[in-house]
Amino acid sequence: MAKSLKSIRGMHDVLPEDSPRWQAFESKVRQLMDSYVYSEIRTPIVESTDLFCRSIGEVTDIVEKEMYTFDDRNGDRLTLRPEGTASCVRAGIQHGILHNQVRRLWYMGPMFRHERPQKGRYRQFHQLGVEAFGIADADIDAELIIMSSRLWRDLGLKDLRLELNTLGSAASREEYRKVLVEYLETHRDQLDEDSLRRIYKNPLRVLDSKNPEMETLITNAPDLHDHLDDESVEHFERLKVYLDAADIKYTINPRLVRGLDYYCKTVFEWVTESLGAQGTVCAGGRYDGLVEQLGGKTSPAAGFAIGVERLLALMEETGVSFQEKPMDVYLIPKSPADIERALRLSESLRDALPGLKIQMHCGSGSHKSQMKKAGNSGAELVLFVGDDEPGQVVVKYMREDRGQQVVDQGELINFLQKNN
């Protein structure tokens, strides 16, 4: 017998028992995006490798260690997308929908990173991304954060904390970079291998290190806030005023720098203590230079991304669940001769009652086995269709002690509307 095959490590199937949670979450997201008038964009899973090297930064864990990259038959260097912002910007530039325009976009789909699989972190994972282009003021930063906060409320989540910081403008960050490099150079003996590699190419990433042996070094590092330009300070202060007005609680974390090179000014993360090391559920900020960096005309931009698996894991961990609507009707033809009538009836019910969940029994079986399947289906009502009762349907209540009754087929739609 041939050896059975399994899914690739870190890439998981979503089984029929789990898919209702995903569908319910996706439905909540679509409702939220509609309420804020954000438009969906869908981009390819495979992009040019250069797109991510130019946007994310070559001296990042994602580009250096985690991307799924390969040469196609034409010799082009391609990568399975590790995140969605770069693809969204590339599409916006290519199709001319960003320049001198305000665009509010969102997307959801699979991303790929070759990481060590663990709870809340997979090699194929799904991400919800929200991006806003063409607005330079802090009010759009506030809207994005408030929107994410509303999603937590819509989902019934309470165990999330907002951390907030500003990285300043590119110019002020460059001034800070010089001061930080000088500080790190004087403490080279305390830096780990990754930090030594980044000290000149991306020193701010050193502040993002999770190495506990470097905690004191990072704590004593120069404060970026001491080197901010006036406009960045004003932008951050306005953002805090807007969040205060919306009653959004936050903590200022001066060491929050994010792992992608394209961020500037506002950065934020929603974190939880309920998922162990994988505590960041949502992260984002402003990236005003990315559109120009990827070949487009200058356009201010901000956004955030949510790891769907991690968010669903948090919901499960904290006891939040979606209530799936049970099946409404299980329809049983009494004999093989009644199947044609049962098929016509089931389709006419779906036409007349959109959203009705109706399953017709298919395949042979005794009355006992049919009723067992009807009970396992979770249906509220069972309809029996047979020529022994022409023009009528026998209705049996499955969740109430009401027995059964005969309903004229012409009255069945009204009957179901009243009982659904």
Side-chain angles (χ1 to χ4, degrees):
M1 185 173 66
K3 182 180 179 181
S4 62
L5 299 176
K6 296 183 178 181
S7 62
I8 298 170
R9 185 168 182 251
M11 302 185 181
H12 301 288
D13 302 305
V14 178
L15 300 177
E17 293 75 17
D18 298 321
S19 60
R21 293 193 306 135
W22 287 75
Q23 293 165 357
F25 170 75
E26 292 161 0
S27 177
K28 292 282 187 183
V29 167
R30 291 185 182 280
Q31 291 171 14
L32 182 72
M33 294 303 124
D34 285 346
S35 71
Y36 282 85
V37 199
Y38 279 64
S39 302
E40 184 181 11
I41 184 171
R42 303 188 184 195
T43 61
I45 290 175
V46 179
E47 297 271 12
S48 167
T49 301
D50 187 50
L51 172 65
F52 303 112
C53 292
R54 289 169 59 183
S55 60
I56 297 172
E58 296 198 37
V59 190
T60 59
D61 285 345
I62 295 175
V63 171
E64 289 182 328
K65 305 175 183 179
E66 298 170 0
M67 293 202 311
Y68 282 89
T69 297
F70 58 95
D71 293 327
D72 75 354
R73 294 181 179 180
N74 296 326
D76 296 323
R77 197 71 167 158
L78 305 179
T79 294
L80 298 178
R81 61 186 185 193
E83 60 95 38
T85 299
S87 295
C88 186
V89 172
R90 189 271 310 148
I93 295 170
Q94 179 176 339
H95 299 286
I97 64 172
L98 300 183
H99 183 50
N100 286 335
Q101 300 179 59
V102 171
R103 284 281 182 167
R104 289 173 163 92
L105 305 174
W106 72 277
Y107 50 86
M108 187 157 45
M111 311 291 166
F112 303 84
R113 297 183 192 178
H114 193 277
E115 299 185 285
R116 183 170 63 86
Q118 52 190 294
K119 185 175 182 179
R121 174 170 286 184
Y122 307 107
R123 291 178 176 174
Q124 176 178 309
F125 60 99
H126 293 75
Q127 201 172 71
L128 163 65
V130 183
E131 320 285 0
F133 299 94
I135 306 172
D137 296 332
D139 50 3
I140 194 64
D141 306 28
E143 179 179 90
L144 290 164
I145 293 172
I146 293 167
M147 177 196 296
S148 57
S149 178
R150 178 173 293 278
L151 179 59
W152 313 146
R153 295 200 303 276
D154 290 349
L155 296 175
L157 284 169
K158 299 178 181 178
D159 184 33
L160 284 165
R161 182 181 76 257
L162 176 63
E163 294 190 353
L164 191 65
N165 193 25
T166 179
L167 301 180
S169 66
S172 64
R173 197 163 64 254
E174 183 59 30
E175 288 301 312
Y176 173 69
R177 182 182 182 280
K178 297 175 184 177
V179 175
L180 180 59
V181 168
E182 184 178 342
Y183 169 78
L184 296 174
E185 284 179 330
T186 62
H187 298 84
R188 290 182 67 92
D189 58 330
Q190 300 178 44
L191 300 177
D192 58 21
E193 184 178 341
D194 279 346
S195 299
L196 285 170
R197 193 175 71 257
R198 291 168 174 157
I199 187 172
Y200 298 113
K201 292 186 177 180
N202 193 351
L204 266 70
R205 286 298 315 283
V206 176
L207 302 179
D208 199 36
S209 173
K210 303 300 187 291
N211 186 343
E213 296 180 3
M214 292 175 51
E215 185 175 349
T216 301
L217 172 70
I218 293 172
T219 300
N220 295 329
D223 191 337
L224 172 60
H225 289 198
D226 294 334
H227 301 269
L228 295 174
D229 58 288
D230 291 342
E231 198 279 327
S232 294
V233 171
E234 292 174 7
H235 186 99
F236 196 50
E237 291 302 316
R238 287 197 302 273
L239 172 60
K240 290 190 287 185
V241 168
Y242 298 150
L243 294 180
D244 290 340
D247 199 28
I248 302 294
K249 308 301 180 187
Y250 55 86
T251 300
I252 304 299
N253 179 359
R255 302 304 176 196
L256 177 61
V257 298
R258 301 295 302 126
L260 307 179
D261 280 1
Y262 51 63
Y263 283 111
C264 65
K265 293 184 180 176
T266 304
V267 288
F268 65 90
E269 290 184 355
W270 287 95
V271 298
T272 177
E273 310 300 329
S274 298
L275 293 177
Q278 307 307 319
T280 301
V281 172
C282 169
R286 183 166 280 279
Y287 50 95
D288 292 340
L290 183 58
V291 176
E292 185 177 15
Q293 185 178 324
L294 293 179
K297 302 292 185 180
T298 300
S299 175
F304 67 79
I306 294 172
V308 178
E309 284 89 347
R310 199 171 293 181
L311 186 61
L312 293 177
L314 176 61
M315 295 179 66
E316 183 176 3
E317 190 72 25
T318 55
V320 176
S321 62
F322 292 114
Q323 295 298 318
E324 183 188 3
K325 181 185 177 185
M327 187 182 298
D328 298 308
V329 172
Y330 194 86
L331 193 152
I332 299 177
K334 289 186 175 182
S335 72
D338 301 314
I339 292 176
E340 292 182 20
R341 180 186 166 199
L343 285 168
R344 290 195 302 271
L345 176 60
S346 63
E347 292 306 306
S348 66
L349 293 177
R350 292 186 181 101
D351 288 340
L353 300 171
L356 181 75
K357 298 181 70 171
I358 177 170
Q359 184 176 96
M360 192 181 104
H361 179 87
C362 294
S364 59
S366 65
H367 177 76
K368 183 177 180 180
S369 68
Q370 290 173 336
M371 289 305 298
K372 184 177 180 180
K373 290 182 179 180
N376 292 337
S377 74
E380 298 290 326
L381 301 172
V382 176
L383 307 185
F384 295 96
V385 177
D387 284 340
D388 57 337
E389 288 157 321
Q392 295 180 319
V393 176
V394 177
V395 179
K396 180 175 178 57
Y397 297 88
M398 297 295 287
R399 306 296 170 217
E400 303 173 37
D401 187 19
R402 295 171 59 183
Q404 63 185 41
Q405 67 184 88
V406 177
V407 178
D408 288 338
Q409 188 165 322
E411 295 297 321
L412 186 58
I413 292 173
N414 290 334
F415 174 86
L416 291 175
Q417 286 177 325
K418 293 177 181 178
N419 286 272
N420 187 17

